Amino acid sequence: MTKLVVCSVLVVCLALSASAVNYQRTVIAIARPTEYGEYIFLQGGDRIGSPIPILHNMTVGNARSVYAQTAANDHFLNWGGSEPGQGTYTNDGRQTQAEGTPMIWTTNDRSNSASVEDDGHGFSELNYQGEHLWLADLYMDCDKTSNGWFDFKAYMVDFRSGKSDPGWESHFINQEFCIVDGSMWGTQSNLQWNALNHHGRCGSFNFVMWSQNLCFANKLDDHMRPYRDEWVEDLSREPTTE
């Protein structure tokens, strides 16, 4: 597992102990078809709702993108929306507050004219699944999670004039199990987690579907490839609201 090594500008590097810092790369992927102007943010925390420190691992060339503007000063996966001092999205003179940690719309289509690195959306090497996979690529302090697990839920906004925000996913996710590296794991029976939210594993590639209880947490180098067919089949149906 990759742990973050913090270096000063004087090139004096300190490999901090696991008890002091245990940042591990953690990807959260949510499958949700969206239209242009719709945007997904992420909220969450540990088992009792406390915020978890994060560092964004995506750098985009387009400083005007939603991601670039709202990722500024976003230091925690937390409940409650925008953090104090977090960047706002400004477009056509209209300022919009972030509703949590920004995600990025991605596709696995290399012919797409946009890319995450250049535009803040579009083709991403992390996406092996298809269209409309929203990603958050983070370094997360696993020591601040609950035995390596965390809660999360997505909130969708609509930046189009005259449109209201679609808002939260379904109130009741009921994610009873998660397939972790190919093995079934009872997230509610084993961990006694809140049935209202998704549950993710720190240091993994976490894949869920909007408002559904499907959950996979795999090592990052696996990228969920074994489950592509199931994901594409499920996306052909409308997201559930139950």
Side-chain angles (χ1 to χ4, degrees):
M1 291 183 290
T2 304
K3 294 186 179 181
L4 190 65
V5 177
V6 179
C7 303
S8 77
V9 293
L10 299 177
V11 200
V12 178
C13 298
L14 299 175
L16 302 180
S17 67
S19 61
V21 61
N22 184 17
Y23 282 89
Q24 296 181 29
R25 190 182 181 193
T26 303
V27 176
I28 301 165
I30 299 179
R32 175 62 158 98
T34 50
E35 299 178 0
Y36 184 79
E38 294 178 327
Y39 202 90
I40 293 179
F41 291 89
L42 199 62
Q43 296 190 27
D46 69 4
R47 180 178 172 184
I48 60 173
S50 298
I52 301 171
I54 58 171
L55 298 170
H56 283 266
N57 192 42
M58 287 182 172
T59 302
V60 302
N62 181 6
R64 298 179 60 189
S65 67
V66 180
Y67 177 83
Q69 293 188 53
T70 58
N73 296 317
D74 177 36
H75 302 303
F76 296 93
L77 177 65
N78 64 297
W79 299 106
S82 182
E83 298 174 30
Q86 185 174 350
T88 57
Y89 176 57
T90 302
N91 186 43
D92 293 332
R94 176 189 172 195
Q95 265 196 347
T96 307
Q97 246 186 358
E99 290 291 345
T101 293
M103 305 189 77
I104 288 183
W105 181 93
T106 70
T107 176
N108 66 343
D109 183 0
R110 290 181 178 272
S111 67
N112 192 283
S113 60
S115 70
V116 168
E117 290 76 12
D118 294 333
D119 305 290
H121 66 275
F123 172 75
S124 170
E125 294 282 358
L126 278 173
N127 185 343
Y128 277 84
Q129 283 75 39
E131 298 285 316
H132 303 292
L133 186 67
W134 287 82
L135 293 176
D137 187 356
L138 310 166
Y139 277 95
M140 179 178 288
D141 187 350
C142 294
D143 287 343
K144 295 299 194 296
T145 63
S146 299
N147 295 319
W149 289 87
F150 59 94
D151 250 11
F152 67 94
K153 203 165 194 171
Y155 185 95
M156 187 187 299
V157 302
D158 197 324
F159 292 118
R160 294 173 294 185
S161 178
K163 295 283 188 176
S164 58
D165 292 345
W168 290 105
E169 296 181 77
S170 172
H171 178 67
F172 188 64
I173 300 295
N174 195 30
Q175 183 184 301
E176 296 185 66
F177 298 96
C178 191
I179 299 176
V180 180
D181 296 325
S183 299
M184 188 75 76
W185 189 274
T187 53
Q188 287 180 31
S189 58
N190 290 10
L191 304 174
Q192 298 180 345
W193 280 79
N194 192 330
L196 303 181
N197 306 316
H198 298 289
H199 318 307
R201 188 150 181 83
C202 194
S204 297
F205 187 105
N206 298 278
F207 172 82
V208 301
M209 297 175 67
W210 180 274
S211 290
Q212 297 190 29
N213 60 9
L214 177 74
C215 165
F216 296 105
N218 275 14
K219 293 182 177 65
L220 277 162
D221 54 1
D222 288 342
H223 284 86
M224 306 294 292
R225 274 182 265 189
Y227 312 109
R228 182 182 187 280
D229 292 340
E230 181 175 357
W231 178 67
V232 171
E233 180 182 348
D234 283 345
L235 271 188
S236 65
R237 303 196 300 267
E238 288 295 319
T240 62
T241 57
E242 299 178 354

